[in-house]
């Protein structure tokens, strides 16, 4: 994997029978919160698996019970950044697959005067120079929050940002492209588009409410 991504969005759709099955369970309105969280965790495994395919590995000498041989570990585990609240349901699974990774957190809320997303929390390392960052957010809808989040990361020097989302709307992908940010995006589906309330169609509803209940 190159040290920094080309500007623009590299999009990968993780279209796999198991991913389709998990996504269908998440879309189904009869799926309760617990089953939704379980399906999101399983889908996250598939997204992380694909998104880490080209991460650099370092060799290290190990011994099997039989002979010495060469072992491998990730050369530079990425920083994991779930976007609150919906990204929390992906965090533990991603961390389980990347146990050496550190985790940061970004919380975004809409400013009701400007209608723009604002960070109410950004728990991140001061410098992200030369660090891979994996951003977790199940829904790429308008793209406004993700552009804002990734802007916080690039302001700290990040040049290698990977966004993992369950679903994406074409409008959100376009917004990320327009931002000029150097991003890789892994999603299990590109849906039809957004409705008048900025929900993804057919989508799965509100990913936070579906996981944690409407509070
Ligand atoms: N956020 C969600 O949780 N669902 C959508 O459909 C769009 C944004």
């Amino acid at each position: 994997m190159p040290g920094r991504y080309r500007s623009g969005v590299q999009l990968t759709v993780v279209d796999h029978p198991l991913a389709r099955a998990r996504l269908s369970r998440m879309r189904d309105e009869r799926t309760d919160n617990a089953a939704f969280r379980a399906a999101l965790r399983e889908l996250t495994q598939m997204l992380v698996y694909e998104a880490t395919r080209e991460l650099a590995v370092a060799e290290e000498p190990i011994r099997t019970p039989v002979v010495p041989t060469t072992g491998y570990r990730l050369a530079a585990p990425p920083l994991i950044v779930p976007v609150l609240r919906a990204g929390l349901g992906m965090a533990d699974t991603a961390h389980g697959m990347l146990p050496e990774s550190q985790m940061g957190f970004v919380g975004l809320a809409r400013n009701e005067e400007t209608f723009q997303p604002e960070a109410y929390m950004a728990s991140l390392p001061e410098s992200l120079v030369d660090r891979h960052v994996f951003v977790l957010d199940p829904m790429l809808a308008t793209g406004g929050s993700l552009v804002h989040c990734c802007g916080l990361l690039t302001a700290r020097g990040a040049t290698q940002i990977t966004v993992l989302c369950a679903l994406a709307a074409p409008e959100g992908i376009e917004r990320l492209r327009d931002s000029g940010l150097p991003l890789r995006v892994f999603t299990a589906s590109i849906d039809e588009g957004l409705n008048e309330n900025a929900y993804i169609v057919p989508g799965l509803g509100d990913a936070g409410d579906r996981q944690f209940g409407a509070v």
Side-chain angles (χ1 to χ4, degrees), residues 106 108 116-119 143-153 181:
V106 169
L108 299 173
Q116 297 304 310
E118 282 181 2
S145 301
L146 270 170
V147 166
H148 192 81
C149 174
C150 294
L152 296 175
L153 302 173
L181 292 164

Side-chain angles (χ1 to χ4, degrees), residues 85-86 137-142 167 169 193-195 197-210:
R85 135 181 97 130
D137 191 341
M139 307 300 273
L140 170 51
T142 63
L167 281 186
L194 300 176
N195 70 11
N197 297 316
Y199 276 88
I200 298 179
V201 178
L204 48 74
D206 185 301
D209 290 354
R210 295 293 308 275

Side-chain angles (χ1 to χ4, degrees), residues 175-205:
R175 179 86 177 264
L176 291 188
R177 288 211 166 100
D178 289 347
S179 75
L181 292 164
L183 299 175
R184 298 190 311 156
V185 176
F186 288 76
T187 182
S189 172
I190 301 174
D191 275 14
E192 287 163 25
L194 300 176
N195 70 11
E196 60 284 4
N197 297 316
Y199 276 88
I200 298 179
V201 178
L204 48 74

Side-chain angles (χ1 to χ4, degrees), residues 99-181:
E100 301 92 0
S101 286
Q102 290 185 320
M103 197 172 319
F105 298 89
V106 169
L108 299 173
R110 192 168 78 142
N111 179 313
E112 292 305 335
E113 278 164 22
T114 64
F115 303 120
Q116 297 304 310
E118 282 181 2
Y120 61 85
M121 174 173 165
S123 175
L124 296 167
E126 277 301 308
S127 171
L128 292 173
V129 173
D130 290 334
R131 293 193 67 174
H132 295 161
V133 185
F134 276 25
V135 176
L136 311 179
D137 191 341
M139 307 300 273
L140 170 51
T142 63
S145 301
L146 270 170
V147 166
H148 192 81
C149 174
C150 294
L152 296 175
L153 302 173
T154 55
R156 286 169 159 80
T159 55
Q160 302 168 79
I161 303 172
T162 297
V163 174
L164 304 187
C165 51
L167 281 186
E171 294 91 329
I173 294 167
E174 217 38 55
R175 179 86 177 264
L176 291 188
R177 288 211 166 100
D178 289 347
S179 75
L181 292 164

